[in-house]
Structure formats: C-alpha cells, structure tokens
Amino acid sequence: MTQYEVEEKAVEYLKTVFDPEIPVNVLDLGMIYKIDVHPTAEPAEGKEFDIDIDMTFTAPNCPAADFILEDIQQKLEGISAVKSVNVNVVFEPEWNKDMMSEEAKLDLGFM
C-alpha cells in the first residue's frame, strides 16, 4: 500500500467516525485539523506507515471524547499498512461552526 493510498483510506475511515450527539462525521464537522501519514521508523511485517492526527472537539469538555478517540484509533489502526496512530487533541484554534463542511451545515440546519 502506498502512502497516498493510506491517506485516502484514513480519510475514508474518518468519515465513518461520528460524534454520537451530532449526526455528522468528525471530518465534515471540521474537528480534524491535520492528517499526517509518514513512513514508520521501523517497519514490521507490512506495517510501513504511522499516522498523526491533530483534532479538536466541538466543546472542551465533550462527554463523547473518549468514545470518539477510541473509534478513530481503532479504525485507523485497522488499515493494513499502518503501524501506529497518534491522536493529538488540541484546542487552538478553537472549533466553531464555520469549520464545518457545507454539507454538514445543511444537515444541521445552519444554511
């Protein structure tokens, strides 16, 4: 699997991660700030890439935070060529509804 294919798969899988309180995936909500797929320092049995994610939550004390983080971790680690996933939660810049995709804004009635 190439780095580009892993990136595509990561985006595809992130579109299946939902905040259980909001019926929109974390990517369209604008919660994912960075997806960095890079070769692992020590490849092992086809596990050639690591993924670093910078993300935030819609609120600093999001009650679903643990659920969302675990879901992201499990799904991205399920990509065959991925050795490790590091999810870094950041609060700068602070999330706001302008970060949502047009589709998410329509789904949630903001347009």
Side-chain angles (χ1 to χ4, degrees):
M1 197 173 243
T2 68
Q3 185 170 342
Y4 179 75
E5 289 170 328
V6 172
E7 289 169 358
E8 282 188 321
K9 200 58 107 167
V11 168
E12 177 185 327
Y13 283 20
L14 286 169
K15 287 184 177 182
T16 69
V17 176
F18 290 81
D19 182 323
E21 296 179 340
I22 305 171
V24 177
N25 69 69
V26 295
L27 211 54
D28 286 336
L29 277 173
M31 294 169 57
I32 305 296
Y33 292 165
K34 178 184 86 171
I35 305 168
D36 180 26
V37 176
H38 51 89
T40 189
E42 299 177 28
E45 294 186 38
K47 304 287 186 178
E48 302 172 32
F49 299 98
D50 294 326
I51 301 177
D52 292 323
I53 301 282
D54 282 356
M55 68 166 295
T56 195
F57 293 104
T58 56
N61 50 353
C62 174
D66 289 341
F67 172 81
I68 294 169
L69 290 172
E70 185 176 326
D71 200 19
I72 289 171
Q73 194 83 30
Q74 287 180 348
K75 287 182 176 173
L76 296 183
E77 285 176 350
I79 300 170
S80 62
V82 172
K83 183 175 181 185
S84 71
V85 176
N86 175 49
V87 181
N88 183 34
V89 178
V90 298
F91 291 102
E92 290 292 325
E94 185 176 332
W95 181 90
N96 66 66
K97 66 179 181 161
D98 294 333
M99 295 174 168
M100 294 189 300
S101 70
E102 297 297 315
E103 183 178 329
K105 289 177 185 175
L106 280 172
D107 287 347
L108 296 174
F110 290 119
M111 292 185 74

